[in-house]
Structure formats: C-alpha cells, structure tokens
Amino acid sequence: MTEPRDLEDQPFPLRRHFRRRILPLLAAFIAVLVGLAAFAARHAMEAIYLDLAQRRAEAVARAVSAAAPEAWRSLLSGRLAGDAAQELTDALRKAFADKVAELQLLKLKVYDLDRRTIYDTDASGIGKVEAGAALLGVIERGEAAAVAHVESDGTEVYELYVPLLDAHGKIQVVFELYEPIGRLNAILARAAAAPLIVPGVLMAILVAGLWHLVGRAQADIDARTAATVALRRRIETFISSSAKQAAHGAGTGGTIASRRLTLCLLYTDVRSFTGFAEDSPPEAVVGFLNRLMTIQVHAVRDHGGDVDKLIGDAMLARFDGADAAARAVAAARAIVLACAEAALPRRVGVGIHTGPVVSGAVGPEERRDFTVIGDGVNIAARLCSSAAEGEIVADADTARASGETGFGPAEMLRVKGRHEPLSVRRWRPAGDS
C-alpha cells in the first residue's frame, strides 16, 4: 500500500530559498542602486564639466575683449561673418591663442548664431558651418550641452557647448571647448571611493549577517522538523495505514468522510489468554504479546492487508480488492504456521469473513478512532471465537473465493446475533489434530 507523500518530512529549505530568491533580489537591488548612482554621477560630472566650461568661456571672452576690444566688438556684432572671418586681426587671434594656452584647452571653437565657425584653434575650420544637433540645441534653448567624443588618437573627450550671454540674457556666441574625460573623472572617483566603499562594506556585512542568521534558522527548522517527524512516526505506529491515509486526505476542516465498503476481515484472538495472564508476570505477558503481534502484523502487511486495530490479545485486519479473500487466507495461514514454529506459550484462533462495513472516524474531535464498523466485523469476531487454537474458520463463500484447497467440508454454524446459521469451513495445518 503506497502512503501519501509527507511534506513535513522535508524541512523548509530556508538557506536554499535565501540563496536562490533573496540573494538575487539583493544583487538586483544593489545593481539598480549602482546603476542609479552611476547615472547620477555621470550627470553630475557633466554638470561640473559644463560649469567649468562656462567659467572658462567667460574668462576667454573677458581676456579677448580686453586684449582686442575692437575686433571683439566686431566679432559679436556679426560684421566678421562670411569672407570677413578671414580678416580677423592678429591681435584677436593672439588673444584667443594666449588664453587657450593659459587654460590648457585642447581645442576651442566659437560659433555665431548661424552656426558658422568664427574662431577655431585649427585655422582651417574657420568659416565652416557646424551641423551638429548639440550646437543647434544650445542656440535654440540657451542651455549648455555636453557630448562625449573619441578623438582620432583614441582620447575620450567631452565637447562642451556653452552660450555666452549679454546683459539681457540673449545669446551672443557659442563656445565649444574640449575637455579630456579622464582628467576630472579620476578626481571624482577618488572623492567618491570612500562614500561608495563604506556602504559596500556595510552591505557585505549585512549579507554575511543574514546568511549566518539564515543558517541558524535553518538548523532550528531542521531540528524542529526532525523532532516533529520522529514524533509523528512514533504516533503513526499506534494507528492503521488506512487511518493515516484518511488523515492525509482530510479537508481543510479536518473532516474525514465515512465510506461504505466491502472488505475481507481477518480477526484473531489468543486462546486461553486469561489463564496465561493470570499465571504469568506482567513482563512475560507483554513480551509474549509483542512477539505474537509482531508475527501477525508482518504477515498482514506482507499480504497487502492493513491492521485496523490491536485489541489486547486480539487483532482485526482488513483486506480490500478483487483478491482480498486469497490474501486474507494466505495471511491467516502464515500467522498460524509462524506461531506454531515460534513455540509460543499460547496460539491464536482465526476468523475470516467478507461483508459490507462502514469505514470512518468514530468519536469526538479531540479523541477519534478510525475503524470499520458493521455486521461483517461482528461475524469475523464470532467465527474467530468458534476457531480452536491454530485453526482458521472462514465463511464458505470466502473460503471458496480464496482458492485454498486445504479447507474442510462446509458446516452450518450458528452465530450469536444472527437468526440463520452460517455456512463455514475450517482449515488446520497438516498433521495438526
């Protein structure tokens, strides 16, 4: 008989759950935080670069206007557009060049509002029209912009577009400055190292602490589960397999439904047990019953039956299925022969009957017994009472259905509580008189 799978036999895998579910969530959380921090840091660095570029552009403008005021005014007025861009004065070029060298700028470009290059550290670029979206955005919105760019030599730089505004907030020209990305990044990385390392260390300590707590909790769960399972298994030795199945199959309310079944019932009882118990010490009686019940329980289970209950020196077993009679008789024979071979001080009589019964729970919720009830149980007990020591008494139909040829002839037996006599047959071991 296959028993239902006991979920409580397997403790909840808390550590595995933590490793498979919680740790990935923590890792994802940390990854999101790092991503957000990186995103914020990138924008913060761009803002710093743009702020520095704005200050440098204003410094360049002040220096150029001071060194070549007339040329600077002409540049701002737009009179240097087109061919006139080639006529920039040497003083204006020198002023730009001096300030670029002083500020150690990689490149500097100045655009008018038509996106024409009116100054470029590379003289060949003067007069060209810039088609980039960043410059157009600065002219339209008046807001500085940064574009990451890789030079031909592999240097990563920011192209920083900053507007130069007049006193009324109107754009006069747009400066484009080039800044190596790594220059300020290294400074920011060193400054951010400590704030990032400390939370990282704290997070690692938190994860380690959680892992330790989970390990202790898992050990406690394992111990409690093992104790619960051990207790349950000890308790289950006091009940039948049918009762265990019924308990597992009960609904959420704990209700165990009764069922009407046709079973082959095997009932055994020790002959002259009262006298033996009276003449023997309790320890000897218990030892005898343990040996006897071990033989009977093993025989019933070996033949696919289920011990319904042990009643002092008696036993009631149930067999279900198309070949229930054959298995019940085979189990009874095994019991009789094993008891004789074990040379027990007392032997049993066996009664077997097939009939309808009700299988279900009996008693209040706080103390119930799962058993079979009905006339079939009473008849099996009466047949057992009529069996001599080492003898099997079965109703004729069950004896015939079992296929056992060792039964004696049919006889009519009056059974207490029944109006009509019952046709039965007896079986005894060969040579047993």
Side-chain angles (χ1 to χ4, degrees):
M1 182 178 297
T2 302
E3 296 184 6
R5 180 176 180 269
D6 296 318
L7 295 178
E8 61 185 13
D9 287 354
Q10 303 296 326
F12 180 73
L14 185 61
R15 176 169 282 180
R16 185 176 65 189
H17 183 79
F18 180 81
R19 184 175 64 252
R20 292 185 177 181
R21 301 288 181 85
I22 306 302
L23 280 182
L25 289 176
L26 286 175
F29 176 72
I30 293 172
V32 170
L33 285 182
V34 171
L36 291 175
F39 179 78
R42 180 179 178 85
H43 281 266
M45 286 188 290
E46 288 184 0
I48 293 172
Y49 275 114
L50 289 173
D51 184 67
L52 290 175
Q54 187 73 53
R55 294 174 185 274
R56 287 178 175 178
E58 292 172 355
V60 169
R62 286 194 299 270
V64 172
S65 64
E70 185 177 351
W72 178 251
R73 286 194 297 272
S74 297
L75 184 150
L76 296 182
S77 66
R79 291 196 298 271
L80 297 177
D83 295 336
Q86 300 297 325
E87 300 175 1
L88 284 171
T89 64
D90 291 341
L92 185 61
R93 289 175 181 271
K94 185 176 184 304
F96 272 117
D98 289 344
K99 201 59 182 177
V100 168
E102 179 186 340
L103 297 177
Q104 297 181 342
L105 301 178
L106 290 179
K107 293 182 181 179
L108 173 64
K109 295 181 181 180
V110 182
Y111 304 98
D112 62 16
L113 299 185
D114 293 324
R115 294 184 289 169
R116 181 176 289 104
T117 305
I118 54 180
Y119 178 78
D120 192 341
T121 49
D122 181 1
S124 63
I126 296 176
K128 293 182 179 180
V129 176
E130 172 65 35
L135 175 59
L136 179 60
V138 173
I139 294 174
E140 289 180 349
R141 293 188 295 272
E143 298 176 356
V147 178
H149 174 70
V150 179
E151 295 285 87
S152 58
D153 61 356
T155 304
E156 290 186 283
V157 299
Y158 271 128
E159 296 177 353
L160 304 168
Y161 296 88
V162 293
L164 184 66
L165 308 178
D166 61 15
H168 304 288
K170 183 180 179 180
I171 299 177
Q172 295 177 305
V173 291
V174 177
F175 280 70
E176 180 186 356
L177 298 90
Y178 285 63
E179 283 286 351
I181 291 178
R183 180 184 299 175
L184 186 58
N185 286 7
I187 299 174
L188 293 175
R190 288 193 296 271
L196 290 177
I197 289 175
V198 172
V201 172
L202 292 177
M203 183 64 71
I205 294 174
L206 174 62
V207 171
L210 286 175
W211 182 257
H212 177 68
L213 291 176
V214 167
R216 294 185 60 180
Q218 184 68 68
D220 184 62
I221 291 173
D222 291 345
R224 290 175 180 271
T225 301
T228 301
V229 171
L231 176 61
R232 178 180 59 79
R233 288 177 175 172
R234 286 195 296 270
I235 292 175
E236 286 181 348
T237 61
F238 292 92
I239 62 176
S240 66
S241 297
S242 301
K244 286 187 285 185
Q245 282 187 312
H248 280 288
T252 55
T255 302
I256 299 177
S258 297
R259 296 190 301 159
R260 184 177 180 84
L261 304 170
T262 297
L263 301 176
C264 186
L265 302 167
L266 182 153
Y267 200 102
T268 69
D269 191 22
V270 177
R271 304 286 86 117
S272 304
F273 178 74
T274 302
F276 172 75
E278 182 180 357
D279 298 335
S280 303
E283 294 80 6
V285 175
V286 172
F288 160 69
L289 287 177
N290 283 337
R291 292 178 62 194
L292 174 64
M293 294 305 175
T294 299
I295 290 173
Q296 295 188 102
V297 170
H298 287 174
V300 169
R301 290 185 176 176
D302 289 345
H303 291 84
D306 182 29
V307 176
D308 187 83
K309 61 170 63 69
L310 301 176
I311 317 163
D313 61 316
M315 180 192 73
L316 173 63
R318 49 192 284 176
F319 292 81
D320 192 8
D323 59 344
R327 289 184 286 111
V329 170
R333 286 183 55 192
I335 291 171
V336 170
L337 295 175
C339 288
E341 183 179 352
L344 297 176
R346 294 290 188 275
R347 293 160 66 186
V348 298
V350 183
I352 302 177
H353 176 68
T354 301
V357 295
V358 173
S359 175
V362 178
E365 291 187 0
E366 60 270 18
R367 176 60 179 91
R368 291 182 289 181
D369 187 19
F370 188 87
T371 186
V372 288
I373 300 172
D375 185 53
V377 178
N378 296 330
I379 294 176
R382 301 305 181 197
L383 296 183
C384 176
S385 298
S386 69
E389 187 178 60
E391 184 178 53
I392 301 171
V393 178
D395 67 87
D397 291 339
T398 300
R400 181 174 59 256
S402 72
E404 170 60 46
T405 60
F407 277 102
E411 61 180 83
M412 302 306 293
L413 178 68
R414 285 201 168 272
V415 177
K416 183 179 179 181
R418 293 181 67 89
H419 299 294
E420 300 295 331
L422 185 66
S423 177
V424 300
R425 297 174 67 184
R426 299 176 183 271
W427 181 94
R428 297 185 64 85
D432 193 354
S433 57

